[in-house]
Amino acid sequence: MAFKKNLASSKDDNISDWYTEVISKGNLIHYSNIKGFMSFLPNGWKIWQLIKKELTKEFDQRDILELCLPSLISQNDFLLEKKHLEGFAPELFIVTKTSNETEKYILRPTSEIAFCNLWRETLRNYRQLPIKHNQWTSVFRVEKNTRPFLRNSEFFWHEIHSCFETEEQSNDFAVDIWKLYQRFIKDILCIPLVAGEKTEAEKFAGAKTTYTVETIMPDGQALQSATSHNLSQNFSKAFDIRYQTKNNDYQNVFSMSAGVSTRIIGAIIMTHGDDDGLVFPTKVAPYHISLNCIFDDTNQELNAKLKELANKYSQKYRVHLNVNKDSTGEIIKNSQLRGDCCVLLMGPNDLKKNEIVFIDRITKQKQFINLDHLDQKLEELFSTFDQKLYQKAKAVFETKVDFAQTFEEFEQKIASGKFVRVFYCNEDLYEKQIKEKTGASSRCIIKYLDEQTQERCFISNKKAKVEIYFARSY
Amino acid sequence: MAFKKNLASSKDDNISDWYTEVISKGNLIHYSNIKGFMSFLPNGWKIWQLIKKELTKEFDQRDILELCLPSLISQNDFLLEKKHLEGFAPELFIVTKTSNETEKYILRPTSEIAFCNLWRETLRNYRQLPIKHNQWTSVFRVEKNTRPFLRNSEFFWHEIHSCFETEEQSNDFAVDIWKLYQRFIKDILCIPLVAGEKTEAEKFAGAKTTYTVETIMPDGQALQSATSHNLSQNFSKAFDIRYQTKNNDYQNVFSMSAGVSTRIIGAIIMTHGDDDGLVFPTKVAPYHISLNCIFDDTNQELNAKLKELANKYSQKYRVHLNVNKDSTGEIIKNSQLRGDCCVLLMGPNDLKKNEIVFIDRITKQKQFINLDHLDQKLEELFSTFDQKLYQKAKAVFETKVDFAQTFEEFEQKIASGKFVRVFYCNEDLYEKQIKEKTGASSRCIIKYLDEQTQERCFISNKKAKVEIYFARSY
């Protein structure tokens, strides 16, 4: 027997329509009247705050200091940077004062310039190193095709910018943060991933190496979910960031930068959501438990009991005590759309029987639980919830990841929505051809092959240099 | 015997120079190359994060939901609002895209418009009320004379925007938040204050009533430190924000807004700082304890002991373990400039004697404390620290607050830097005259007098309507 789903659209049939509907009905955001700009509603903002909390724990352990730089960059500084950032040229928002239209500023699209200016003016000697800075801000890029979370003209991110005495330290820290991102995305967000290095063509302009974490959406498209860059001395030389060494000479620092943005919320939604609404891993779920009175909202004894339960479970879980007079069906529907991990319902009869109705967000099955066993039931749910989400996502992931030996095979697999592993000669020229012919871009190098390899490149038939993933991407 | 102070300038002699120096040497901010824009360095940003933490506790208790609205407002919306906001006309930053210069946006100077748009589009019926929203953001206003924290072109604040079914609810909530601000500023920030209502001339354009908290800087100038506005139906009528009532008819909501900005950090600095540097109340001090090795930084036993102490006290206090090789004098100086609540120093001999050198930020006296008594010593310091700061500030405050019976007396007291209480007829006309003649503006009405009063207005000699403070202000 098939039940009617909460959403009109189907994730399997049309993920684009589904994505729009699940976000709108889940009350995460509200579109503003400016293209690409949106309000984060309380539940949407809560997810970002929980992500911030989880990552901040990790940053604190690494003595990364939080600060906040200005939103505007002078246009002159930006033109200076641009020379060193060929390739990174998003369309920008220009700012002027009403009183003075000749002085122009840029709404920051990223903050390399601001950090470089700060360091150049404050760094004196080796005793100040390493510097590990981080800020949580929004950045601005004009976008033609916008989608909530996935591509916004204003989006939120954190950006780590650090500098060091040696290249090794800088690279090690970039790798450390990259590994942290992998654990975060896999263990906290329960999203399967592929991690590796970007090719020359795809790396951040100005970086020596870009380490990336790629996730795969259910339609097979890749989502670049977190990146960490070893910038070597590229920026410190361009911006003249020097310090006095122990030996009293002057040297340019080695720097790195890294970031995760609100795009990752798009990945959470697309990975875990279903045709009944949003689903969230426990660490970033706005609400763990929706607790509701049904049938008789004037029953004082019942309300007292629910308040008691809300107080009790708030010690451990994020509990939402619902005082609306919705019907039971509406309550369950709204809770599922919102992505609460479970919904609990209690009416006068349940109270008499010392029972509560329990519906978890994964199985969606209704169970009557004796209140004496509720602690245990919740323990069970929350101790296995994330693992179940990951396994479900991993099963989908496995159907998307594929391998191609030849270009013909590659073309066909990309066209059918796969994330395709190949052996590749790693020459820029072919990347352009591949993109033009298939729409796929290189996502990440997972292995450098040694000279002795027998593998041939899937497109050039030259000796392969790397093992790499290609896919279409968001 | 007079010791040399850490700062070159003196707070008593020239508070303006002192303020600039104490901020710069205390490493709170870094000036950017755009007028009125600055970077919050880690310690400066930490203060704002601690303020956020304290206020958020209060907001959570009131079920105020945190969200985040876009940084840009369309210029058309702004022109619509402007009609209803005559009097609130800060100079603005205009934003365009590089590709399309005809569409214009405004960098938000405040978010009334954005909230009104959101509510109009999402509010349906009485069951959604009350709505209590809050966001922590930066806002943008072109300023001619800028000073760090006190007047910036980009500054940070929180802004509560709420709406209700009745005027009474809206006003009660505005008053509740205003009282919360008073407790926060007095008890947490240890700053003496005067609280009351703004006059018609000084209230927020669009507000029915503006409740304000005014603090008095050591030069006698007032700093408007927190405001809460009952907006009645002024905005909801202008922006057509209606909901369906229980009786199925439609009504405009009653709304309020309130906010505290990074200006308050300027008030903390000016109130508590001294000629040796910054001083912070314990709840917002970036560091409680600076823990330092002196004389022999290669002594493993000593370093192990300091690490042990750092770990132990980090459970309860914000501890900074200093690994720099500065001289003892430099360590103490830098700690005092930075505003650590106390600095602890230990050398090899101290370790042998099981002692530590203890210097608190208020008395600045050096004491040798047996490690067995350190817990107790810290308890004593931190249990009385805030009270001592408040008492010190209150003593200065008392010398600034004054009363004038006549305009002559008033003029002379304003000129000598007082915060002057008067009886006043409360007619707009006189406020302009007072401002022109003395530079003072009305700060807050502390009492409405009844019809039977015998008091006469200090300037018009008419029957007085209110008891009110006037002062020059930042």
Side-chain angles (χ1 to χ4, degrees), chain B residues 6-11 14-29 31 43 47 147-150 265-280 333-339 361:
Chain B
N6 294 332
L7 298 179
S9 50
S10 149
K11 190 179 180 185
N14 187 332
I15 196 166
S16 175
D17 285 359
W18 172 86
Y19 184 74
T20 304
E21 190 186 1
V22 78
I23 284 175
S24 148
K25 299 238 169 105
N27 257 320
L28 294 182
I29 59 122
Y31 295 92
N43 278 14
I47 299 166
R147 307 208 64 190
F149 302 115
L150 297 174
I265 298 178
I268 298 170
I269 294 166
M270 284 217 277
T271 302
H272 301 304
D274 64 22
D275 291 350
D276 284 315
L278 297 162
V279 180
F280 295 108
K333 180 179 168 180
N334 288 332
S335 168
Q336 289 177 340
L337 285 169
R338 206 162 50 220
R361 186 62 187 81

Side-chain angles (χ1 to χ4, degrees), chain B residues 16-263:
Chain B
S16 175
D17 285 359
W18 172 86
Y19 184 74
T20 304
E21 190 186 1
V22 78
I23 284 175
S24 148
K25 299 238 169 105
N27 257 320
L28 294 182
I29 59 122
H30 184 74
Y31 295 92
S32 93
N33 56 9
I34 306 177
K35 186 180 164 59
F37 286 76
M38 64 184 196
S39 296
F40 281 73
L41 296 178
N43 278 14
W45 191 240
K46 186 82 185 170
I47 299 166
W48 187 237
Q49 296 311 299
L50 290 165
I51 287 173
K52 183 172 170 178
K53 187 180 147 197
E54 292 296 328
L55 286 175
T56 298
K57 275 189 231 163
E58 298 280 347
F59 299 161
D60 285 349
Q61 281 175 18
R62 287 161 177 80
D63 293 322
I64 299 172
L65 297 173
E66 202 175 309
L67 42 50
C68 193
L69 275 53
S71 300
L72 300 191
I73 299 170
S74 87
Q75 197 181 35
N76 289 341
D77 282 348
F78 201 84
L79 295 175
L80 180 72
E81 183 188 50
K82 240 186 151 179
K83 287 179 203 156
H84 309 284
L85 272 183
E86 295 297 344
F88 179 74
E91 202 193 317
L92 301 168
F93 289 96
I94 308 294
V95 181
T96 52
K97 296 176 191 173
T98 41
S99 60
N100 175 348
E101 294 185 17
T102 54
E103 253 179 73
K104 289 189 177 174
Y105 315 101
I106 310 284
L107 267 175
R108 64 172 163 227
T110 177
S111 303
E112 266 76 11
I113 292 179
F115 277 96
C116 284
N117 282 341
L118 173 66
W119 293 341
R120 187 183 54 251
E121 292 163 15
T122 56
L123 179 62
R124 294 287 163 264
N125 64 55
Y126 70 95
R127 286 163 55 188
Q128 293 169 267
L129 293 174
I131 293 173
K132 298 177 186 173
H133 284 162
N134 180 51
Q135 66 174 358
W136 294 87
T137 60
S138 67
V139 289
F140 302 84
R141 299 171 189 182
V142 178
E143 296 285 357
K144 287 213 174 64
N145 299 307
T146 61
R147 307 208 64 190
F149 302 115
L150 297 174
R151 198 165 289 277
N152 288 101
S153 289
E154 178 179 22
F155 62 91
F156 290 80
W157 73 358
H158 87 88
E159 44 182 331
I160 292 176
H161 296 261
S162 301
C163 54
F164 301 88
E165 290 181 75
T166 70
E167 170 103 39
E168 195 189 356
Q169 290 171 333
S170 171
N171 191 63
D172 283 354
F173 195 61
V175 169
D176 178 37
I177 298 298
W178 173 51
K179 289 189 173 163
L180 177 172
Y181 287 156
Q182 292 175 52
R183 287 193 302 275
F184 172 70
I185 291 171
K186 182 168 176 289
D187 299 341
I188 305 289
L189 305 184
C190 310
I191 303 176
L193 58 87
V194 173
E197 286 179 29
K198 286 288 185 190
T199 61
E200 281 300 307
E202 290 288 330
K203 75 182 187 184
F204 177 59
K208 180 169 177 183
T209 315
T210 290
Y211 302 97
T212 182
V213 183
E214 304 279 322
T215 56
I216 310 177
M217 298 302 99
D219 58 356
Q221 289 197 62
L223 189 76
Q224 181 178 304
S225 299
T227 49
S228 182
H229 317 286
N230 173 21
L231 306 172
S232 188
Q233 291 179 313
N234 296 341
F235 278 86
S236 72
K237 284 185 172 165
F239 282 86
D240 194 29
I241 304 166
R242 296 186 307 157
Y243 68 97
Q244 194 169 15
T245 69
K246 271 178 194 154
N247 310 321
N248 285 320
D249 52 7
Y250 286 85
Q251 194 192 287
N252 288 106
V253 295
F254 293 84
S255 69
M256 61 73 72
S257 66
V260 169
S261 80
T262 39
R263 278 200 118 181

